[in-house]
């Protein structure tokens, strides 16, 4: 069985993709990369293939026909990683808001004390750099709301920097994952929590992107607010 792979979804990340790939390749702990690109018109996938020529057994590309949502990109990546027999499967943004150096911390926790390790912005205060106060408050209180509705004891329920042991993804029916934005991150944690997997938060510092454009939108926020209630109702009726 292969060891470690990080799934990185992309859409128009030409300004970041080479640097993030090289940063992961330079880590002491070997971690492969699968880029799931939604047919970026800016040449992101072409750049991935160019860098992959230097690391032919470590960098892989899954190119999709169109932009189809963050959640579906991760699901496609998770299925690919499971098919290719990886044991520890990460998810991470392409824009350096997640520090690649923290991958080793997540891996250590996932190997030793958890089934799912979560890079958390809020487990020790608020560790966010370059976000406006309005967005910090939105993100923080979204997690408060999710904890209230779901009873998950997780401070950063919308975190998108995560390491899963493959057994978690094998027991979650990935074909039934419904949500694509913030709610996708909540749904994955809640499905793991509902199956009694151990989720552990690892403190990180989250730094907002300095290159490229944010993919956040009002529809993503709306999905999270109402999606949490749907997840809770499904759990109550044993349909999760």
């Amino acid at each position: 069985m292969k060891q470690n792979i990080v799934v990185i979804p992309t859409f128009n990340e030409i300004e970041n993709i080479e640097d993030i790939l090289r940063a992961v390749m330079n880590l002491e702990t070997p971690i492969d990369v699968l880029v799931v690109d939604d047919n970026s018109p800016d040449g992101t996938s072409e750049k991935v293939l160019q860098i992959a020529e230097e690391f032919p057994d470590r960098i892989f590309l899954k190119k999709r026909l169109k932009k189809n949502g963050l959640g579906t990109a991760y699901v496609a990546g998770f299925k690919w990683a499971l098919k290719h027999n990886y044991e520890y499967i990460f998810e991470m943004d392409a824009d350096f808001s997640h520090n690649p150096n923290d991958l080793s911390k997540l891996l250590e926790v996932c190997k030793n004390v958890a089934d799912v390790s979560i890079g958390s912005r809020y487990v020790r205060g608020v560790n966010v750099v370059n976000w406006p106060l309005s967005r910090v408050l939105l993100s923080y209180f979204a997690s408060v709301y999710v904890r209230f509705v779901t009873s998950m004891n997780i401070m950063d329920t919308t975190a998108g920097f995560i390491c899963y042991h493959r057994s978690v993804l094998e027991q979650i029916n990935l074909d039934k994952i419904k949500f694509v934005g913030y709610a996708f991150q909540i749904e994955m944690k809640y499905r793991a929590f509902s199956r009694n997997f151990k989720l552990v938060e690892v403190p990180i510092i989250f730094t907002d992107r300095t290159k490229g454009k944010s993919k956040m939108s009002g529809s993503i926020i709306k999905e999270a607010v109402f999606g949490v209630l749907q997840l809770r109702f499904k759990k109550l009726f044993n349909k999760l």
Side-chain angles (χ1 to χ4, degrees), residues 13 16 93-99 121 127-133 135-136 182 204-216:
E13 290 290 355
N16 294 299
D93 291 345
D95 59 8
F96 283 95
S97 55
H98 304 138
N99 187 338
R121 297 163 290 188
N127 291 304
V128 177
V129 178
N130 292 339
W131 262 10
L133 180 60
R135 189 164 177 186
V136 173
Y182 262 151
I204 63 162
I205 296 176
F206 178 96
T207 304
D208 195 21
R209 66 164 65 234
T210 58
K211 298 178 182 178
K213 186 177 179 180
S214 173
K215 312 303 189 295
M216 178 61 67

Side-chain angles (χ1 to χ4, degrees), residues 5 69 80 93 116 121-123 127 138 164 175 192 202 210 214 227:
I5 191 164
W80 189 98
D93 291 345
V116 181
R121 297 163 290 188
Y122 307 128
V123 71
N127 291 304
L138 174 65
Y164 297 94
D175 290 326
V202 179
T210 58
S214 173

Side-chain angles (χ1 to χ4, degrees), residues 117-163:
S117 56
I118 302 165
S120 177
R121 297 163 290 188
Y122 307 128
V123 71
R124 292 183 183 172
V126 177
N127 291 304
V128 177
V129 178
N130 292 339
W131 262 10
L133 180 60
S134 59
R135 189 164 177 186
V136 173
L137 292 174
L138 174 65
S139 175
Y140 181 83
F141 284 106
S143 284
V144 172
Y145 165 73
V146 173
R147 289 200 305 275
F148 174 76
V149 173
T150 66
S151 300
M152 285 194 296
N153 187 26
I154 298 172
M155 294 299 296
D156 194 352
T157 56
T158 62
F161 192 23
I162 300 170
C163 178

